[in-house]
Amino acid sequence: MIRKLALALALGLAATQVQAADKLTVLLEWFVNPDHAPLVVAKERGLFEKAGLDVELLPPADPSIVPRAVASGQAEVGIHYQPNLYLDHAAGVNLVRFGTLVETPLNSVTVLADGPIKSLADLAGKKVGFSVAGFEQVMLGRMLENAGAKKDGVELINVNFALTPALISGQVDATVGGFRNFEHTQMKLEGKTARAFYPEENGVPVYDELIFVTRPDLLKDDRLKRFLGAVEEGAIWLTNHSDEAWALFVKAYPNLDDALNKQAWVDTLPRFAKRPAALDRERYARFGAFMKEGGLIDKAPAVEDVAVELQ
């Protein structure tokens, strides 16, 4: 009788533990790729489960819907870009950053290494391909000004998302917006070598490329702190065990087991935030001022209106 009671209690406790996992939907900014490594590692190693969370990593059907989907409650967490956070705030989208995934810019201005462009000043009078209007154009303008060139001295051509093909084919002389951890390897795999100019080295304030956002009324929700704790544990384990982490990643997503993603894995590794909950207020203030100076927003928001460190 005692053994049966003990077994019943054990089964009841296990059921309670299963039921205690709190659902959390994370809307990605794009399809799953090595940029999401700490999240995939946390999920595959059971770190979210250990934190009492049932986390769903959900790629969006349309990446442009992510901020409004999170703001409207369709997901608790979204992965977003720091530059876009200011644009959304100015447009009245109710979002706030509460964590960081990739803590350095990935964006770059890219040219062919064996081509005529040896410096940013050489872009004067040249064609530059881009994918998304707005921030990338302002970023390029600041980089050109920093190099002593006129920001309106280039011809901008919308090549949609075919940045690498447009550059390799000679349709454009340079591209802006290509991620240094993907496009440069893509060029190499196609027999071309890239030369890159990085915004943070050419007059643009450093910023976080990928951040975690939520709506303000969820900031006191304990799920968010537990989520960041698991992401941090995943990022640290990934740093210490890169090869094992890669094996976990491609086991979960076998369609990504190719040369491009394997190199992107290596190139992205040092860029993940090891303290995802930490907030550099001065960095956010500087970047808000840059967005205003570039005419992208009318007023730089107070840091606490767009970014917080969970208490």
Side-chain angles (χ1 to χ4, degrees):
M1 180 67 180
I2 293 176
R3 291 180 63 184
K4 289 183 179 179
L5 180 59
L7 178 61
L9 288 172
L11 292 173
L13 178 60
T16 300
Q17 289 174 335
V18 171
Q19 293 171 1
D22 294 323
K23 179 75 175 177
L24 196 69
T25 300
V26 179
L27 192 56
L28 308 180
E29 86 294 351
W30 199 244
F31 56 84
V32 175
N33 63 75
D35 288 347
H36 307 124
L39 294 164
V40 175
V41 165
K43 190 170 180 68
E44 294 304 308
R45 297 198 72 237
L47 304 180
F48 289 134
E49 185 180 6
K50 186 176 74 172
L53 296 172
D54 175 14
V55 174
E56 180 184 15
L57 304 178
L58 186 63
D62 176 2
S64 68
I65 71 168
V66 174
R68 284 180 167 78
V70 174
S72 65
Q74 296 176 53
E76 291 81 23
V77 176
I79 297 180
H80 204 21
Y81 303 92
Q82 185 185 338
N84 289 29
L85 177 63
Y86 298 84
L87 300 175
D88 291 330
H89 177 79
V93 182
N94 206 17
L95 287 178
V96 63
R97 170 267 178 216
F98 70 94
T100 301
L101 177 58
V102 175
E103 64 182 1
T104 74
L106 295 177
N107 215 318
S108 64
V109 173
T110 305
V111 301
L112 293 173
D114 59 359
I117 310 300
K118 306 302 181 185
S119 69
L120 286 167
D122 293 336
L123 287 175
K126 304 298 184 181
K127 297 178 180 178
V128 179
F130 72 95
S131 296
V132 182
F135 168 69
E136 290 174 1
Q137 293 166 316
V138 170
M139 183 188 80
L140 174 63
R142 174 64 68 87
M143 294 172 72
L144 290 171
E145 286 182 335
N146 189 70
K150 294 181 179 179
K151 64 180 181 180
D152 56 354
V154 301
E155 180 184 354
L156 290 166
I157 298 177
N158 190 337
V159 297
N160 294 314
F161 290 96
L163 293 170
T164 297
L167 181 59
I168 290 177
S169 68
Q171 180 185 350
V172 296
D173 303 292
T175 60
V176 58
F179 273 16
R180 63 193 74 170
N181 58 337
F182 277 95
E183 271 76 8
H184 299 173
T185 297
Q186 185 180 15
M187 290 178 64
K188 186 175 182 180
L189 292 173
E190 296 187 29
K192 298 293 183 180
T193 303
R195 172 179 286 115
F197 304 99
Y198 302 127
E200 68 273 23
E201 296 177 359
N202 291 279
V204 178
V206 68
Y207 59 91
D208 299 333
E209 190 69 57
L210 294 177
I211 57 176
F212 297 114
V213 295
T214 191
R215 56 187 192 275
D217 60 292
L218 283 182
L219 288 175
K220 293 185 178 180
D221 191 320
D222 183 64
R223 289 178 297 174
L224 300 185
K225 290 186 72 172
R226 287 185 277 147
F227 168 76
L228 288 183
V231 170
E232 178 175 321
E233 191 174 347
I236 297 298
W237 191 85
L238 163 67
T239 303
N240 293 335
H241 307 280
S242 177
D243 291 342
E244 293 173 67
W246 169 251
L248 281 178
F249 183 80
V250 295
K251 181 180 179 182
Y253 299 95
N255 60 309
L256 299 181
D257 189 3
D258 57 31
L260 175 60
N261 283 290
K262 189 169 186 178
Q263 186 60 49
W265 180 272
V266 173
D267 292 341
T268 314
L269 182 62
R271 302 183 180 280
F272 292 121
K274 306 305 186 293
R275 298 176 60 224
L279 172 65
D280 186 334
R281 294 179 55 85
E282 291 186 6
R283 172 186 284 200
Y284 274 70
R286 285 193 302 269
F287 199 76
F290 167 77
M291 296 287 284
K292 178 183 182 299
E293 291 164 7
L296 291 168
I297 55 178
D298 293 331
K299 179 182 178 182
V303 172
E304 58 269 20
D305 290 340
V306 293
V308 300
E309 190 166 341
L310 297 179
Q311 301 300 316

